[in-house]
Structures are given as C-alpha cells and as structure tokens.
Amino acid sequence: MIPFGDIKNINKRHARDLRTVFERVLESGWYILGKEVQSFEQEFAHYCGAAHAIGVSNGLDALHLILRAWHIGAGDEVIVPSNTYIATWLAVTYAGATPVPVEPEEGSCNIDPDRIEAAITPRTRAIIAVHLYGQPADMDPIMAIAAKHNLKVIEDAAQAHGALYKGRKVGSLGHAAGFSFYPGKNLGALGDGGAVTTNDQDLAQKVRVLANYGSQQKYHNEVQGFNCRLDELQAAFLRVKLPTLDVETERRREIAARYQAAFQDTPLVLPTVKAGVEPVWHLYVVRSPKRDVLQQRLTEQGVGTMIHYPIPPHLQPAYADLGHQRGDFPIAERIHQQVLSLPMGPTMEEAQVTAVIEAVKAVYR
Ligand SMILES: *Cc1c(COP(=O)(O)O)cnc(C)c1O
C-alpha cells in the first residue's frame, strides 16, 4: 500500500532532535510565550522575507486575527476564492464579515484576478488570495486591484510555505499572510499551530495583542482579545523542522516533475504551473471527469488518494444562510467534481513514485 501521505515518517527523521527539544522545554518550566516562540518567530519571518512573524494557535486563527486587527467585521465584505478549503471562508464569518466568492482560473485553480473587480462593492474591505495546493496566486494584478480600490490583501499561505512568486516568498507578497502548521502541512507541528507574517509593524503589534487576551502587559487589557497563542513546545518542534523544509520541498518538486512527465500521454488534466512561480506541491492534484472511477481503480491497486475538496464552501450546509445555489460558481463546482490528489511527500521513495505512475497508467491501458 502506498499511503497518500506519511506524516509519521516525516517526523521520524527528526525524532532525536524533537526529543531533545522536548526535554529542553520540559526542563525550562516555561510553556507559553517564551524563548522558543520568540526565536521561531524570528526564524520564520526571516525564512519568508517578512519583517514580522507572530506565532498563533492555527491557520484559521491567523486569518481571523488579521481581519480583526483591521476591524473588518459586521457589514463588511471580503473577497475569497470559490475554490478553497472552507477555513478561508470561516475566518471571514468568524470575524462577522461576509465572504464574497470569486471563481478560479481553470489552470492554476487559484482565484482569477480578472474576475475580482466585478465582485467589489462599497462594502468590500479585503481580498483573501489562497495559494492553493502550494502554488502562489497571481499576486501582482491582485495587489494592483487592491491599491486601486483601497483594499487589504491577505495571503492564505496555509499550503504554500516557501513557495515563490517572481522570486519572492509567499508570506511577504500581500499586506499580511496566514500560515498553518497543522501536522499535514508542508511545515507541520506535532499538533496545531499557525503564524501571521507581515511587513506592517502596526498590524503585527495588533495581532500579537489580540492573540494574547488583548493584553500587552499582564492583566492590563486594552481590547477584547482571544487566546490564540502558539505553544512553546510546538514552536520548539517547528524550529527543528524549519531548517530542512527546503530540502523536503526539493523532493516534492522532483516527485511532481516525474508525475508531470509520466502523465503527459494520459487523458488526465495535469496541474498547470504559471510562468514566474515555483510551487511547493503541498498536493499534486490531477483532474478527470471520471474521478470517482479513477480513485476506485487506484485504491484497488493499493494507491492511497484523497479529494481536495469534495464539496465547495458555497454548497456546504454550513453556508446555506448565504443563499448560494448549485450552479452559482460552476468552475469551482467542476473542479470539486474532478480533482484527485495523488500520493505526495518528502519521504516518498523512487520505487513508490514509480508504482504510483504504473498504477495510473494501468487505469488507461
Ligand atoms: C489548513 C488550511 C487552513 C487552516 O489551517 P488550520 O491550522 O487547520 O486552522 C486555512 N486555509 C487553507 C487553504 C488550509 O489548507
């Protein structure tokens, strides 16, 4: 059986160092907002080429806190991709604002900059661009539209740690970015974790205060905040894993390149990589009108696959109150019906990649 992903083996490679830092944190007697978080924030900001990083509890909270810090809430609209993981939308509704979906480009599956302006109203305050599957969204036109309409741009970089857009790292491209360190993400903790990155010092300070009960000085509360902190222990684990992220990304790129070459002569629609971007292949996602049959055949051959994602946010019962109907966002709906994610990860061996390729080819023989 070739697993879809292999988090256990990714972390096993770091077992000795993870145990060492566990001891270090245990012995320190200091478990919240200490040296590990502070150091990780510096290291991660440097990695992203951003001036500031703030460790937070998870990716959803990272996005939510950015919106809160800008006082985006009830009565405001935020443009989101129609094709994304639901957490992007949840951040908006959590803040009390309304998500306004915009359809993706067929090729990259990322938000289509050419469709954004039609969705802007006097209530629009921000655009959330998601770097879906690890490929950066087309940020230059998005930033230009935002500048023209005086909007904030948030990158949802939960799937794209280290991805490059025109030579610049995600997390430094918009006005702020939210990252997730959920165990299955490219940089994963041993539990939940997240970060906000930004070059805006004022925003950084506000997010930091909001994430810690709205307080800068213990028991002095300036604003009604939240408890959305990153643990010392998770920060210490992330510090162990960050230095090898680029090596792991290289391995993901090799696997993606092998898949791309091998599947050229199949009927599958392969991922399109736009000029000027270097994805980090959080997921390798193919498309087929007969997706369910393909998945079934691969399962029979012992190849683990997943669907990211089976139901678009606008058709989830959770968002019935927004009143969207089937057919409202046909590109996203078609993508959700056709996508299949193949095994991908830095611990995959050549023989496993070959086996996946053979299994896919067998379906079309
Ligand atoms: C994982 C993910 C999130 C949420 O991150 P959590 O840490 O799980 O809260 C947000 N957006 C996208 C695109 C994601 O993949």
Side-chain angles (χ1 to χ4, degrees), residues 93-116:
T93 49
Y94 193 2
T98 303
V100 175
V102 166
E103 288 270 69
E105 304 167 326
E106 286 271 2
S108 70
C109 294
N110 278 325
I111 193 166
D112 184 347
D114 289 342
R115 294 172 187 267
I116 290 177

Side-chain angles (χ1 to χ4, degrees), residues 2 258 301 303 349-360:
I2 297 167
R258 280 200 64 195
Q301 295 184 78
V303 174
E349 287 161 15
E350 283 301 283
Q352 291 180 306
V353 181
T354 303
V356 172
I357 289 170
E358 287 309 313
V360 170

Side-chain angles (χ1 to χ4, degrees), residues 153-351:
V153 176
I154 300 170
E155 298 171 71
D156 179 343
Q159 303 188 353
H161 320 67
L164 291 167
Y165 177 81
K166 301 185 180 176
R168 293 154 63 207
K169 287 246 178 80
V170 303
S172 68
L173 306 169
H175 299 112
F179 285 88
S180 167
F181 306 123
Y182 177 80
K185 300 293 161 95
N186 286 31
L187 178 61
L190 306 190
D192 277 311
V196 171
T197 59
T198 182
N199 290 323
D200 178 342
Q201 168 144 26
D202 180 57
L203 175 73
Q205 181 58 20
K206 284 183 172 141
V207 166
R208 202 175 280 292
V209 167
L210 281 176
N212 187 30
Y213 302 124
S215 137
Q216 231 168 325
Q217 190 189 344
K218 207 168 175 138
Y219 307 132
H220 293 253
N221 302 83
E222 303 142 48
V223 290
Q224 291 174 15
F226 305 87
N227 178 350
C228 297
R229 300 172 303 217
L230 179 66
D231 287 345
E232 282 285 281
L233 195 51
Q234 297 304 340
F237 292 151
L238 289 164
R239 293 183 70 201
V240 167
K241 294 181 71 180
L242 181 59
T244 57
L245 177 59
D246 285 347
V247 177
E248 295 187 351
T249 297
E250 255 335 290
R251 180 63 189 140
R252 288 175 184 271
R253 287 180 176 145
E254 285 169 11
I255 296 164
R258 280 200 64 195
Y259 283 163
Q260 291 289 79
F263 301 147
Q264 284 305 329
D265 50 1
T266 68
L268 292 174
V269 177
L270 305 183
T272 314
V273 178
K274 293 189 71 165
V277 308
E278 289 179 52
V280 292
W281 302 101
H282 173 59
L283 298 169
Y284 183 87
V285 179
V286 296
R287 283 175 64 178
S288 163
K290 295 181 186 149
R291 187 262 317 275
D292 294 340
V293 179
L294 173 63
Q295 182 172 41
Q296 180 59 35
R297 297 284 304 277
L298 290 176
T299 307
E300 286 162 14
Q301 295 184 78
V303 174
T305 58
M306 299 244 302
I307 295 169
H308 298 92
Y309 298 90
I311 305 168
H314 73 277
L315 297 180
Q316 296 281 2
Y319 283 123
D321 62 332
L322 293 177
H324 299 301
Q325 305 294 321
R326 190 168 292 281
D328 283 356
F329 300 98
I331 301 176
E333 288 170 28
R334 198 158 54 241
I335 288 173
H336 283 70
Q337 283 161 10
Q338 297 185 344
V339 285
L340 189 68
S341 306
L342 300 182
M344 168 56 77
T347 57
M348 266 186 98
E349 287 161 15
E350 283 301 283

